[in-house]
Amino acid sequence: MSATPQKNRAARRVFAAAAGLATAGALFAALPASAGTPAQSAGNDFGHSKPKPDPKTVDVQLLSFNDLHGNLEPPAGSAGTVNEKQADGTTKAIPAGGVEYLATSLRDARKGHPYSVTAAGGDMVGASPLLSGLFHDEPTIEALNKIDLDVTAVGNHEFDEGATELGRLQNGGCHPTEGCYEKGKKFTGADFPYLAANVTSEKTGKPVLKPYTVWKKNGVKIGFIGVTLEGTPNIVTAEGVKGLKFHDEIETVNKYAKELDKQGVKSIVALIHEGGAPASTSYNYNCDSPGAGDGISGPIVDIAKGISPKVDALVTGHTHQAYACTIPDPSGNPRLVTSASSFGKLYTDTTLTYDLRTKDIVRTSVKSANHIVSRDQAKAKDMTDLITRWNKLAAPIAGAPKGYISADINGRGATTPETPLGDVIADAQLAGMSPADKGGAQIAFMNPGGIRSDLVYKASGSEGDGVVTYGEAFTVQPFTNMMNAVDLTGAQLITALQQQVSGANEASPKILQVSKGLTYTLDMTKSGAARVVTDSVKLNGAAIDPAKTYRVAMNEFLAGGGDGFAALGQGTNKLVGASDLDMFNAYLSANSTAQAPLAPPAADRITIIK
C-alpha cells in the first residue's frame, strides 16, 4: 500500500536532509544462524507429496514477514486483525500482531529446525506509531535484533528520512540532532544486513547498501538479494531520495543472481518490496485456484514472471496483503511467492529442501504457509521489557489528550475509498489553512496512503475510552509533513481528480480524501480519466470553473506531485503552514470535548458508481 513518506517528525525533528551516502559499500555483520512449527496456518504444498527422507538433502526453514512499520505494540482496531475464512464460507476477524507475540511465534516455530533463517521484505520502519517513531525507530531495530532477524530488503519507508539516516539505522550511532535517548546507552544499529541491490548513489553508481548476502550453515548456502520497488521516488519525498537512483527490480535481481551463481551459490531467495493483490482478503485464501497464481494480480506477477529461474523463491511486501502462491518463472516452472500481511500480524513458514549435491533447492518439494501471530499465546518477556522501557521515555508526550470521539473513526481499516477519518483529516487541514493569513484555502486534499491507522474509541492506556491522545494522533499521521496552500486552476483540479484513477493509478486507484464542500461522482464502470464525471465536480454546490483559480491545501508530498498527482505539483503562489499533525491535533481540540465528542462523519462527499 502506498504511503506518504515520513518527513521530519515534528518541529523537534530535524534531520540531515542531504543524503550523504556514507553507507555506500559498507560491510555488515555476519548473519547469525538461528534455528522453526506453526499454529493457525494457510498456504500450499508447492509440489507433490513429501519426499522420503534423503541423506543427500536437508530441509531449510525460511521464516519471513514484511511491512512491520514499527508496530511494536499490537495495532489497534481493525488494523490489528487478520481475516480468516471459515469452513461455512463466512469470514472471521482475528486479533493479531505485536512484537511480544511475533517473537514467541518465531521462536516456537524454530524449535526442531536446525537449519532456520529469518528474512523480511522491507518497511520494517517508517510510518511508525509514536513508541517507535518518536525515537527514529531505534526501538524497532532493537526488537528485530532480539528476534534474530537475519536479513531484510529495504522498503520505500526505509528512505523516509534519507540515506544517511538509513545508514545510521544499519551501522549505529546516536541521532545527529537529538543525540542518545538513554543515558549511558549508544544505539548499536541493526545486527542484520539491510539489502538495497537496486538503489545506487548518483555520484558513484554503486549500491548504497549491500546488494546481497549469503546465509551459511554446515555447508548449506542460501543467497538473499534485496530490492525495493523501482517507483520508490514517486512515493517518498524528494529529500528522502536525494542523491539516489532506483533501478528495475527484474534486471537487478537477475544481475546479482548471475553473480551469486558464479560464486557457487545455487540456492537464491529474492526479497522484493513490491507485491500483489489476492482475490480475497482472507489470509487462508488459496491463490493457486483454479491454477497456479490465478488468484493474484498486481505488479509482483510480472516481476515474478521476469526474474531468472536461478531464484528459487520470492518474499514480497508493500501491498500489506497475505498470500502464498506459485507464479511461473520464465521457464514455466512454478515458483513460490509469499507475503505476510503487515504490522507483524502474520509470518510465513516455508520449507526449502536443499540438495547437498547440486547445492540448489528442490523446487518440487517447496512448501509454504502463512500463520497468524495470535495474541492468545505467551508474550516474550524481553519484548515486554523493551516496550515498557521505551514507553516510559515516550509517556510525557504520548499520553497528552488532544480530543474526544464518540465511536471508532476508521481510516486505514475502512473498506470504502472515501473514509470517515480521511474526511476528518481533510477538514482539519482546511480549517488550518483557510484563514486569509494562513493560506486562504478553499479546498483540502489528503493522500490516502498517509493515513496509517484508525482512531479507536477504546482506550489504548489509562486515558479512558473516547479520548484521543497525542500518541494515537501521531499513529494516524506519523510523517509530520508540512502543509502547503497553492493556487490551482479549476482545470488542474479536475485533472488531479482524474489522476486518481488513470495513468499510474488506473490499475490501483489512489482516491484523495477531500474536505467538506467538495463533491463529485466517480463512475468506476468506465476506464481511466473518464471515471471522473466532470460536470459533477462542485464546490459548495457550484460547478468548478476550469478557468478560475482556487486555493488548495495539501501536504508537501502531494504539493510535490507525489503518488502520481503531477497536476497538484503545478501549484503556484505557495504558502507553507504548520505540520499536518499539528493541524490534526488543533482540529480535534477545537471541535470536540468530553461532553460533545467528535462523531464519525458520513463519508458521503464522493459518489461512486460501480
Side-chain angles (χ1 to χ4, degrees):
M1 292 186 178
S2 99
T4 37
Q6 179 174 21
K7 176 78 170 154
N8 333 348
R9 285 192 172 99
R12 61 184 188 285
R13 290 243 174 301
V14 182
F15 66 86
L21 304 175
T23 58
L27 296 176
F28 304 97
L31 290 176
S34 50
T37 300
Q40 286 172 296
S41 65
N44 293 294
D45 184 338
F46 298 107
H48 312 298
S49 58
K50 190 171 182 179
K52 294 177 182 178
D54 184 348
K56 294 183 178 64
T57 66
V58 296
D59 282 347
V60 177
Q61 179 190 53
L62 172 61
L63 300 176
S64 58
F65 56 99
N66 51 276
D67 295 276
L68 180 64
H69 289 288
N71 278 264
L72 301 179
E73 296 176 298
S78 58
T81 61
V82 171
N83 289 333
E84 181 179 66
K85 188 176 181 180
Q86 307 297 296
D88 63 2
T90 60
T91 300
K92 181 180 179 182
I94 300 175
V99 294
E100 294 162 297
Y101 305 111
L102 178 62
T104 297
S105 291
L106 294 175
R107 289 164 182 169
D108 287 348
R110 291 175 186 139
K111 291 174 182 175
H113 293 266
Y115 294 88
S116 183
V117 58
T118 304
D123 276 6
M124 294 296 97
V125 300
S128 305
L130 187 90
L131 177 60
S132 185
L134 184 64
F135 306 105
H136 291 273
D137 285 310
E138 290 182 20
T140 296
I141 298 297
E142 182 184 343
L144 293 172
N145 287 344
K146 290 178 181 292
I147 283 175
D148 289 331
L149 179 64
D150 289 314
V151 58
T152 184
V154 294
N156 53 289
H157 282 281
E158 264 81 21
F159 294 94
D160 284 347
E161 294 191 29
T164 301
E165 174 63 5
L166 173 57
R168 188 183 75 88
L169 292 180
Q170 176 70 87
N171 300 315
C174 296
H175 192 268
T177 58
E178 296 183 18
C180 298
Y181 294 111
E182 295 177 286
K183 190 175 181 180
K185 284 189 179 181
K186 183 180 179 182
F187 176 57
T188 59
D191 61 17
F192 51 89
Y194 262 111
L195 303 181
N198 68 330
V199 187
T200 61
S201 162
E202 287 182 345
K203 288 183 179 178
T204 67
K206 295 179 180 179
V208 296
L209 289 171
K210 200 173 180 182
Y212 61 82
T213 193
V214 180
W215 178 86
K216 301 176 183 177
K217 186 170 184 181
N218 298 337
V220 173
K221 295 189 292 186
I222 298 179
F224 288 89
I225 304 167
V227 298
T228 186
L229 69 155
E230 184 182 8
T232 291
N234 299 325
I235 52 175
V236 173
T237 53
E239 288 293 347
V241 295
K242 188 176 181 180
L244 305 177
K245 287 190 73 173
F246 292 77
H247 303 272
D248 182 82
E249 304 95 335
I250 297 172
E251 291 176 8
T252 303
V253 172
N254 289 351
K255 170 186 172 181
Y256 288 111
K258 191 175 180 180
E259 189 170 312
L260 282 167
D261 185 64
K262 284 182 179 178
Q263 295 174 13
V265 180
K266 307 296 182 182
S267 298
I268 303 171
V269 175
L271 308 176
I272 303 175
H273 191 69
E274 179 60 288
S280 167
T281 59
S282 295
Y283 87 99
N284 53 345
Y285 165 72
N286 180 7
C287 51
D288 278 341
S289 177
D294 284 347
I296 187 168
S297 60
I300 199 61
V301 175
D302 287 338
I303 290 172
K305 287 178 179 177
I307 284 179
S308 167
K310 294 180 190 299
V311 176
D312 298 293
L314 279 61
V315 172
T316 72
H318 188 56
T319 57
H320 291 201
Q321 301 298 306
Y323 47 85
C325 4
T326 48
I327 298 173
D329 69 15
S331 297
N333 296 318
R335 180 169 53 193
L336 175 70
V337 181
T338 71
S339 176
S341 184
S342 63
F343 303 166
K345 294 181 290 187
L346 296 178
Y347 72 93
T348 311
D349 191 335
T350 301
T351 300
L352 300 172
T353 299
Y354 184 93
D355 190 316
L356 295 169
R357 295 161 297 186
T358 65
K359 303 186 189 311
D360 207 349
I361 300 301
V362 183
R363 286 254 210 110
T364 54
S365 297
V366 172
K367 295 180 299 178
S368 186
N370 274 321
H371 306 273
I372 294 180
V373 176
S374 167
R375 296 184 199 166
D376 294 333
Q377 61 189 317
K379 295 180 179 180
K381 185 180 183 303
D382 59 339
M383 293 296 138
T384 303
D385 292 345
L386 181 151
I387 288 170
T388 300
R389 197 178 93 242
W390 286 102
N391 262 331
K392 283 181 180 177
L393 290 172
I397 295 172
K402 292 297 175 182
Y404 302 85
I405 56 175
S406 64
D408 288 0
I409 303 181
N410 287 337
R412 197 71 169 187
T415 57
T416 51
E418 179 189 353
T419 70
L421 188 51
D423 285 1
V424 171
I425 290 171
D427 287 351
Q429 294 177 351
L430 181 63
M433 300 295 283
S434 61
D437 62 337
K438 302 293 185 183
Q442 301 160 275
I443 298 166
F445 287 134
M446 175 62 191
N447 55 309
I451 304 169
R452 304 304 299 181
S453 185
D454 303 333
L455 278 185
V456 179
Y457 178 78
K458 185 178 179 182
S460 59
S462 59
E463 76 274 12
D465 291 347
V467 179
V468 180
T469 65
Y470 181 88
E472 291 165 342
F474 184 100
T475 297
V476 169
Q477 289 205 279
F479 301 109
T480 316
N481 276 307
M482 305 310 289
M483 289 299 300
N484 291 180
V486 299
D487 286 347
L488 288 170
T489 66
Q492 288 170 323
L493 275 178
I494 291 170
T495 298
L497 295 178
Q498 291 170 334
Q499 287 170 347
Q500 299 176 111
V501 289
S502 63
N505 294 331
E506 179 160 7
S508 182
K510 290 186 174 74
I511 305 303
L512 295 165
Q513 307 299 286
V514 300
S515 55
K516 61 184 177 183
L518 186 68
T519 56
Y520 70 96
T521 297
L522 271 178
D523 186 349
M524 298 306 287
T525 66
K526 296 181 179 178
S527 61
R531 289 169 167 172
V532 175
V533 181
T534 306
D535 59 7
S536 73
V537 185
K538 296 179 181 179
L539 179 60
N540 299 322
I544 291 289
D545 181 347
K548 187 178 175 181
T549 296
Y550 297 85
R551 289 292 282 170
V552 184
M554 66 193 89
N555 60 45
E556 60 191 327
F557 172 67
L558 281 178
D563 265 353
F565 291 101
L568 297 182
Q570 297 167 359
T572 58
N573 193 22
K574 181 170 74 172
L575 183 144
V576 178
S579 75
D580 53 7
L581 179 60
D582 286 345
M583 287 189 184
F584 185 42
N585 281 322
Y587 184 83
L588 291 172
S589 297
N591 291 276
S592 67
T593 63
Q595 295 74 33
L598 186 68
D604 56 0
R605 299 166 187 178
I606 306 171
T607 301
I608 297 180
I609 300 171
K610 295 182 180 179

